[in-house]
Amino acid sequence: MSSAGVCEVAVARTFLGTLAYSIPAGLVGAVTPGVRVQVPLGGSVVVGVVDRMGLREDRERKPRLRDLRGVLDEEPVVDADLLNLSRWIADYYVAPLGAVLKAALPPGLLGGRAARGASPRARTERVLRILRELRTLTERERLFGRAKRQRQLYETLESVGGQAAVRHLTKQLGFSSAVVNGLVARQVAEIVEREVDRDPFAGPVEAEPRFALTPAQQHVVAELARLDAPGRVALLRGVTGSGKTVVYLDVLERQLARGRSGICLVPEIALTPQTVQRFRARFGDAVTVLHSGLSGGERFDAWRSLREGRKRIAIGPRSAVFAPVRNLGAIIVDEEHESSYKQSDVPRYHARSVAVMRAKMEGCLCLLGSATPALESWENARTGRYHLLELDERVTGQGLPPVELVDLQDATGREAEAEPAAGRGGLRVFSSRLRDAIAVRLERDEQTILFLNRRGYASFAECAPCGHVWSCDACSVTLTYHRRRRRLVCHHCGSTAPLPERCGECDGPAPRYTGVGTEQVERRVGELFPDASIARMDLDTTGSKWAHVEILEAFRRREVDILLGTQMIAKGLDFPHVTLVGVINADVGLHLPDFRASERTFQLLEQVAGRAGRGSEPGEVLVQTSRPRHHALSAAAAHDYVGFATRELADRGEPGYPPHRRLANLVVSGKQESRVIDAAEELSEWTRELVRDQRLGGIEVIGPAPCPIDRLRERWRWHFLVKSDRARTLGGVLRYLAERRGRPGTGLRLEIDRDPEALL
């Protein structure tokens, strides 16, 4: 039964589905899909979003529904297109619709502070503006007389267009409040409130010359113009330095000329300022930014400016896929292969997939760009689902930099003498080959990037006599030694421990610290090259709001000779004076128990190698490894993406991993290991019986087994996999499982991760 006086409301809670409420007579007409409403839930009042009017077809009306308490918006905060997209995400990823809507809206609009009436507000400032023109000197003399400061203030306002912020007049220009109030009292000016955008990227931008497109770029641009049909997806595979960003700019310029808008997704916040600079140089104030590094007020203002049509291009990491732009013409996903596009918590959406679906729903172009596309995207292009475009050469005419694999196992006497092992029993930080190459760059006044995807000083602390390794009390992982903090740190839960003075197992001496992290590389570089300027960029050095911007700008100004860091420096950055890239240890991550380990390693190496030789001088890449014959490393050294993809696709065929089959990872967790094991075994067997009873073909259940990291934040973790030949079949099984068995027991959780990026 449906009724004009009933609606379905999504609230940001863990249960699937929506809640039905009656609409009081006084609110009829004010309640429409997409507006926020206050509703009773249990013993409290929370904020939700109206999903639809009337009752769902599958819901029977209860004898008496509770009433809505109030409507918070005059018009929907989620328009019809974004509401449809949110419903699809909730259905596909088996997530609560309220959780999806909370991710789509600025912080505070749904749940949390908003439920207590403390939603974000527009920022205003007091402005003094002229009310009456004084056209003659005689008129001014008669009005102001001896009040010279009032006359100066009046004429200052005239010179700046008739109005100015009161704060600027009093703080910067030195006019007193009495002078300001004097103008108001004479009725020649008034004070009004004016809204102010909190835009941290506002201000002047450096002009960027418009270069003529290369023939290859012209071909890609022409193809994209021809493909500009509703819902089309194109994959642009362009080598690093081939000018993909110029193509993005052209696509968006064409959309703006047609009165449409665009979204550009980038994988790292660190890349946002560089992208914003280039986009604002082309499009000016039409560009705004959405990302979690901004304050709540800044994000709210950016969101509102897009919603109102004052800004037409949104840039940001994965959550920017929800940008409320009007008349969307194109969505661009830069570095589309990046795992950071996958949300790790509910809703566990992948921004690339959401971008493709949003383009389909709103009838716009979706352009995926990467030098190393995800194998799922490559397979879609290879089989014709996506249109493949390629840029095989750099715009500078320079070839891709040569990559040399330096075998750390082949330690000659000269190597050992040049660089002793790190710590006692640790790995060498620098081969003589890499050390000498850095020295040459310093002599030439050229820049170097050093890459190691492991932060901290040493990977673990080990007792030499008994072999005990210090581990996290809450997680089944080793603790990392951070030298500057003088602490052992868990990189999963963030817990810390003091440095041990003795071994608690055998009462042996203080531990030795083994393995290499970015902090140790920084120290060793400083010892080898004391005159060099060094900057480190990882999570430990970019905790403050604009730290990553300051580091990259210093490097751009050539105030830094050597930039070292983790994966945040491996992609998208364009520094023309970098002629050497050194990879300290390419084996990090290569042997993780995850089916994407080789793909991730290849992509990281190819991306970081692409930072070298982007200017007029040729570049060089040195990759230190103990496994130089591994296919991912040899393919990266040859810049052979197609060869790697062909080998990797073949390797995934028999075990049936994506993109050959659809995959879901289901994780059961809890604080009692025995209960977790029992629940995982029972749920996996229940799922097998469901598949058998419903005679579902092309689907299988594997497991359960302990997760590779079997304890995380004091919770034990077991998982099982569901593989399927068809996406629809997998979705049906997952939704039925979540609805019937989504709460496995008190203190236990079931996490459903569809299309997982990792199985750890």
Side-chain angles (χ1 to χ4, degrees), residues 326-351:
R326 292 186 171 184
N327 196 15
L328 181 60
I331 306 178
I332 294 165
V333 185
D334 189 27
E335 310 290 5
E336 61 85 35
H337 65 279
E338 278 293 326
S339 60
S340 59
Y341 283 126
K342 174 75 172 181
Q343 170 76 12
S344 61
D345 203 355
V346 178
R348 294 180 175 86
Y349 69 92
H350 198 300

mmCIF file of all heavy atoms in Angstrom, residues 326-351:
data_model
loop_
_atom_site.group_PDB
_atom_site.id
_atom_site.type_symbol
_atom_site.label_atom_id
_atom_site.label_comp_id
_atom_site.label_asym_id
_atom_site.label_seq_id
_atom_site.Cartn_x
_atom_site.Cartn_y
_atom_site.Cartn_z
ATOM 1 N N ARG A 326 26.093 20.436 -12.054
ATOM 2 C CA ARG A 326 24.901 20.519 -12.887
ATOM 3 C C ARG A 326 25.241 20.171 -14.330
ATOM 4 O O ARG A 326 26.283 20.560 -14.838
ATOM 5 C CB ARG A 326 24.318 21.935 -12.832
ATOM 6 C CG ARG A 326 23.733 22.309 -11.478
ATOM 7 C CD ARG A 326 23.062 23.658 -11.548
ATOM 8 N NE ARG A 326 22.317 23.950 -10.338
ATOM 9 C CZ ARG A 326 21.568 25.046 -10.164
ATOM 10 N NH1 ARG A 326 21.496 25.944 -11.136
ATOM 11 N NH2 ARG A 326 20.915 25.243 -9.037
ATOM 12 N N ASN A 327 24.346 19.428 -14.975
ATOM 13 C CA ASN A 327 24.479 19.114 -16.395
ATOM 14 C C ASN A 327 25.852 18.510 -16.685
ATOM 15 O O ASN A 327 26.651 19.043 -17.451
ATOM 16 C CB ASN A 327 24.264 20.380 -17.236
ATOM 17 C CG ASN A 327 24.015 20.059 -18.704
ATOM 18 O OD1 ASN A 327 23.724 18.926 -19.069
ATOM 19 N ND2 ASN A 327 24.157 21.067 -19.552
ATOM 20 N N LEU A 328 26.121 17.368 -16.083
ATOM 21 C CA LEU A 328 27.422 16.713 -16.173
ATOM 22 C C LEU A 328 27.711 16.268 -17.607
ATOM 23 O O LEU A 328 26.896 15.598 -18.246
ATOM 24 C CB LEU A 328 27.445 15.510 -15.233
ATOM 25 C CG LEU A 328 28.734 14.702 -15.150
ATOM 26 C CD1 LEU A 328 29.888 15.581 -14.682
ATOM 27 C CD2 LEU A 328 28.558 13.519 -14.190
ATOM 28 N N GLY A 329 28.896 16.659 -18.102
ATOM 29 C CA GLY A 329 29.279 16.301 -19.465
ATOM 30 C C GLY A 329 30.366 15.253 -19.551
ATOM 31 O O GLY A 329 30.424 14.487 -20.514
ATOM 32 N N ALA A 330 31.280 15.219 -18.551
ATOM 33 C CA ALA A 330 32.386 14.262 -18.610
ATOM 34 C C ALA A 330 32.906 13.982 -17.210
ATOM 35 O O ALA A 330 32.979 14.878 -16.370
ATOM 36 C CB ALA A 330 33.521 14.789 -19.486
ATOM 37 N N ILE A 331 33.263 12.723 -16.970
ATOM 38 C CA ILE A 331 33.971 12.316 -15.759
ATOM 39 C C ILE A 331 35.311 11.740 -16.189
ATOM 40 O O ILE A 331 35.355 10.820 -17.015
ATOM 41 C CB ILE A 331 33.207 11.257 -14.948
ATOM 42 C CG1 ILE A 331 31.784 11.720 -14.626
ATOM 43 C CG2 ILE A 331 33.943 10.940 -13.656
ATOM 44 C CD1 ILE A 331 30.966 10.686 -13.877
ATOM 45 N N ILE A 332 36.388 12.287 -15.628
ATOM 46 C CA ILE A 332 37.735 11.812 -15.933
ATOM 47 C C ILE A 332 38.298 11.139 -14.690
ATOM 48 O O ILE A 332 38.225 11.701 -13.592
ATOM 49 C CB ILE A 332 38.635 12.976 -16.371
ATOM 50 C CG1 ILE A 332 38.135 13.555 -17.702
ATOM 51 C CG2 ILE A 332 40.088 12.530 -16.496
ATOM 52 C CD1 ILE A 332 38.718 14.897 -18.034
ATOM 53 N N VAL A 333 38.838 9.950 -14.840
ATOM 54 C CA VAL A 333 39.473 9.230 -13.733
ATOM 55 C C VAL A 333 40.951 9.101 -14.080
ATOM 56 O O VAL A 333 41.338 8.242 -14.890
ATOM 57 C CB VAL A 333 38.834 7.856 -13.490
ATOM 58 C CG1 VAL A 333 39.445 7.201 -12.251
ATOM 59 C CG2 VAL A 333 37.320 7.980 -13.336
ATOM 60 N N ASP A 334 41.779 9.976 -13.502
ATOM 61 C CA ASP A 334 43.211 9.945 -13.772
ATOM 62 C C ASP A 334 43.869 8.859 -12.929
ATOM 63 O O ASP A 334 43.467 8.623 -11.787
ATOM 64 C CB ASP A 334 43.824 11.308 -13.448
ATOM 65 C CG ASP A 334 45.268 11.416 -13.919
ATOM 66 O OD1 ASP A 334 45.625 10.711 -14.884
ATOM 67 O OD2 ASP A 334 46.030 12.189 -13.320
ATOM 68 N N GLU A 335 44.879 8.204 -13.473
ATOM 69 C CA GLU A 335 45.541 7.071 -12.800
ATOM 70 C C GLU A 335 44.485 6.059 -12.331
ATOM 71 O O GLU A 335 44.416 5.672 -11.168
ATOM 72 C CB GLU A 335 46.385 7.559 -11.612
ATOM 73 C CG GLU A 335 47.339 8.697 -11.918
ATOM 74 C CD GLU A 335 48.514 8.285 -12.802
ATOM 75 O OE1 GLU A 335 48.537 7.136 -13.249
ATOM 76 O OE2 GLU A 335 49.385 9.129 -13.045
ATOM 77 N N GLU A 336 43.651 5.643 -13.276
ATOM 78 C CA GLU A 336 42.458 4.864 -12.924
ATOM 79 C C GLU A 336 42.782 3.524 -12.276
ATOM 80 O O GLU A 336 41.921 2.903 -11.671
ATOM 81 C CB GLU A 336 41.602 4.646 -14.170
ATOM 82 C CG GLU A 336 42.277 3.873 -15.301
ATOM 83 C CD GLU A 336 42.164 2.370 -15.149
ATOM 84 O OE1 GLU A 336 41.126 1.909 -14.665
ATOM 85 O OE2 GLU A 336 43.131 1.661 -15.504
ATOM 86 N N HIS A 337 44.037 3.088 -12.363
ATOM 87 C CA HIS A 337 44.433 1.801 -11.796
ATOM 88 C C HIS A 337 44.641 1.853 -10.290
ATOM 89 O O HIS A 337 44.784 0.813 -9.647
ATOM 90 C CB HIS A 337 45.751 1.343 -12.426
ATOM 91 C CG HIS A 337 46.894 2.253 -12.075
ATOM 92 N ND1 HIS A 337 47.127 3.437 -12.731
ATOM 93 C CD2 HIS A 337 47.861 2.170 -11.111
ATOM 94 C CE1 HIS A 337 48.185 4.031 -12.200
ATOM 95 N NE2 HIS A 337 48.650 3.280 -11.220
ATOM 96 N N GLU A 338 44.658 3.037 -9.708
ATOM 97 C CA GLU A 338 45.074 3.193 -8.316
ATOM 98 C C GLU A 338 44.101 2.545 -7.331
ATOM 99 O O GLU A 338 42.890 2.744 -7.408
ATOM 100 C CB GLU A 338 45.221 4.679 -7.972
ATOM 101 C CG GLU A 338 46.533 5.279 -8.390
ATOM 102 C CD GLU A 338 47.687 4.685 -7.600
ATOM 103 O OE1 GLU A 338 47.510 4.356 -6.421
ATOM 104 O OE2 GLU A 338 48.774 4.563 -8.179
ATOM 105 N N SER A 339 44.650 1.802 -6.374
ATOM 106 C CA SER A 339 43.821 1.129 -5.365
ATOM 107 C C SER A 339 43.176 2.114 -4.407
ATOM 108 O O SER A 339 42.196 1.777 -3.745
ATOM 109 C CB SER A 339 44.667 0.126 -4.579
ATOM 110 O OG SER A 339 45.745 0.767 -3.918
ATOM 111 N N SER A 340 43.689 3.345 -4.315
ATOM 112 C CA SER A 340 43.097 4.333 -3.410
ATOM 113 C C SER A 340 41.701 4.750 -3.849
ATOM 114 O O SER A 340 40.974 5.390 -3.082
ATOM 115 C CB SER A 340 44.001 5.569 -3.303
ATOM 116 O OG SER A 340 44.198 6.161 -4.569
ATOM 117 N N TYR A 341 41.294 4.414 -5.063
ATOM 118 C CA TYR A 341 39.926 4.697 -5.499
ATOM 119 C C TYR A 341 38.915 3.759 -4.840
ATOM 120 O O TYR A 341 37.717 3.976 -4.964
ATOM 121 C CB TYR A 341 39.805 4.593 -7.017
ATOM 122 C CG TYR A 341 40.374 5.778 -7.761
ATOM 123 C CD1 TYR A 341 41.327 5.611 -8.761
ATOM 124 C CD2 TYR A 341 39.967 7.072 -7.473
ATOM 125 C CE1 TYR A 341 41.845 6.697 -9.445
ATOM 126 C CE2 TYR A 341 40.482 8.164 -8.145
ATOM 127 C CZ TYR A 341 41.420 7.972 -9.131
ATOM 128 O OH TYR A 341 41.932 9.053 -9.801
ATOM 129 N N LYS A 342 39.391 2.731 -4.178
ATOM 130 C CA LYS A 342 38.509 1.800 -3.482
ATOM 131 C C LYS A 342 38.352 2.234 -2.029
ATOM 132 O O LYS A 342 39.342 2.393 -1.306
ATOM 133 C CB LYS A 342 39.087 0.380 -3.557
ATOM 134 C CG LYS A 342 38.343 -0.673 -2.751
ATOM 135 C CD LYS A 342 37.043 -1.089 -3.395
ATOM 136 C CE LYS A 342 36.450 -2.288 -2.652
ATOM 137 N NZ LYS A 342 35.207 -2.769 -3.227
ATOM 138 N N GLN A 343 37.127 2.427 -1.575
ATOM 139 C CA GLN A 343 36.847 2.805 -0.191
ATOM 140 C C GLN A 343 37.018 1.581 0.703
ATOM 141 O O GLN A 343 36.475 0.513 0.420
ATOM 142 C CB GLN A 343 35.417 3.345 -0.084
ATOM 143 C CG GLN A 343 34.908 3.549 1.323
ATOM 144 C CD GLN A 343 35.480 4.769 1.989
ATOM 145 O OE1 GLN A 343 36.101 5.597 1.330
ATOM 146 N NE2 GLN A 343 35.283 4.888 3.270
ATOM 147 N N SER A 344 37.777 1.726 1.795
ATOM 148 C CA SER A 344 38.096 0.572 2.642
ATOM 149 C C SER A 344 37.023 0.278 3.673
ATOM 150 O O SER A 344 37.025 -0.794 4.267
ATOM 151 C CB SER A 344 39.437 0.804 3.359
ATOM 152 O OG SER A 344 39.369 1.952 4.188
ATOM 153 N N ASP A 345 36.115 1.212 3.904
ATOM 154 C CA ASP A 345 35.062 1.020 4.898
ATOM 155 C C ASP A 345 33.706 1.184 4.215
ATOM 156 O O ASP A 345 33.610 1.621 3.068
ATOM 157 C CB ASP A 345 35.227 2.030 6.040
ATOM 158 C CG ASP A 345 34.569 1.565 7.323
ATOM 159 O OD1 ASP A 345 33.909 0.511 7.301
ATOM 160 O OD2 ASP A 345 34.693 2.268 8.345
ATOM 161 N N VAL A 346 32.652 0.850 4.935
ATOM 162 C CA VAL A 346 31.292 0.949 4.376
ATOM 163 C C VAL A 346 30.974 2.404 4.024
ATOM 164 O O VAL A 346 31.211 3.287 4.847
ATOM 165 C CB VAL A 346 30.265 0.408 5.393
ATOM 166 C CG1 VAL A 346 28.845 0.553 4.860
ATOM 167 C CG2 VAL A 346 30.566 -1.057 5.733
ATOM 168 N N PRO A 347 30.485 2.645 2.817
ATOM 169 C CA PRO A 347 30.233 1.724 1.706
ATOM 170 C C PRO A 347 31.512 1.454 0.919
ATOM 171 O O PRO A 347 32.216 2.396 0.544
ATOM 172 C CB PRO A 347 29.228 2.500 0.841
ATOM 173 C CG PRO A 347 29.578 3.941 1.082
ATOM 174 C CD PRO A 347 30.032 4.022 2.514
ATOM 175 N N ARG A 348 31.819 0.201 0.660
ATOM 176 C CA ARG A 348 33.091 -0.179 0.037
ATOM 177 C C ARG A 348 33.003 -0.071 -1.490
ATOM 178 O O ARG A 348 33.160 -1.045 -2.224
ATOM 179 C CB ARG A 348 33.471 -1.596 0.462
ATOM 180 C CG ARG A 348 33.768 -1.691 1.959
ATOM 181 C CD ARG A 348 34.144 -3.093 2.386
ATOM 182 N NE ARG A 348 34.537 -3.106 3.778
ATOM 183 C CZ ARG A 348 33.705 -3.222 4.802
ATOM 184 N NH1 ARG A 348 32.401 -3.356 4.564
ATOM 185 N NH2 ARG A 348 34.142 -3.208 6.047
ATOM 186 N N TYR A 349 32.769 1.160 -1.959
ATOM 187 C CA TYR A 349 32.625 1.391 -3.392
ATOM 188 C C TYR A 349 33.987 1.617 -4.037
ATOM 189 O O TYR A 349 34.954 1.979 -3.380
ATOM 190 C CB TYR A 349 31.720 2.598 -3.644
ATOM 191 C CG TYR A 349 32.315 3.929 -3.234
ATOM 192 C CD1 TYR A 349 33.045 4.704 -4.141
ATOM 193 C CD2 TYR A 349 32.150 4.426 -1.940
ATOM 194 C CE1 TYR A 349 33.595 5.923 -3.768
ATOM 195 C CE2 TYR A 349 32.698 5.642 -1.567
ATOM 196 C CZ TYR A 349 33.416 6.384 -2.478
ATOM 197 O OH TYR A 349 33.974 7.591 -2.114
ATOM 198 N N HIS A 350 34.036 1.404 -5.348
ATOM 199 C CA HIS A 350 35.217 1.742 -6.133
ATOM 200 C C HIS A 350 34.840 2.935 -7.003
ATOM 201 O O HIS A 350 33.901 2.869 -7.802
ATOM 202 C CB HIS A 350 35.652 0.564 -7.004
ATOM 203 C CG HIS A 350 37.059 0.681 -7.495
ATOM 204 N ND1 HIS A 350 37.489 1.730 -8.293
ATOM 205 C CD2 HIS A 350 38.162 -0.103 -7.294
ATOM 206 C CE1 HIS A 350 38.773 1.584 -8.568
ATOM 207 N NE2 HIS A 350 39.211 0.488 -7.973
ATOM 208 N N ALA A 351 35.562 4.055 -6.853
ATOM 209 C CA ALA A 351 35.195 5.286 -7.545
ATOM 210 C C ALA A 351 35.236 5.123 -9.059
ATOM 211 O O ALA A 351 34.470 5.779 -9.776
ATOM 212 C CB ALA A 351 36.110 6.429 -7.106
#
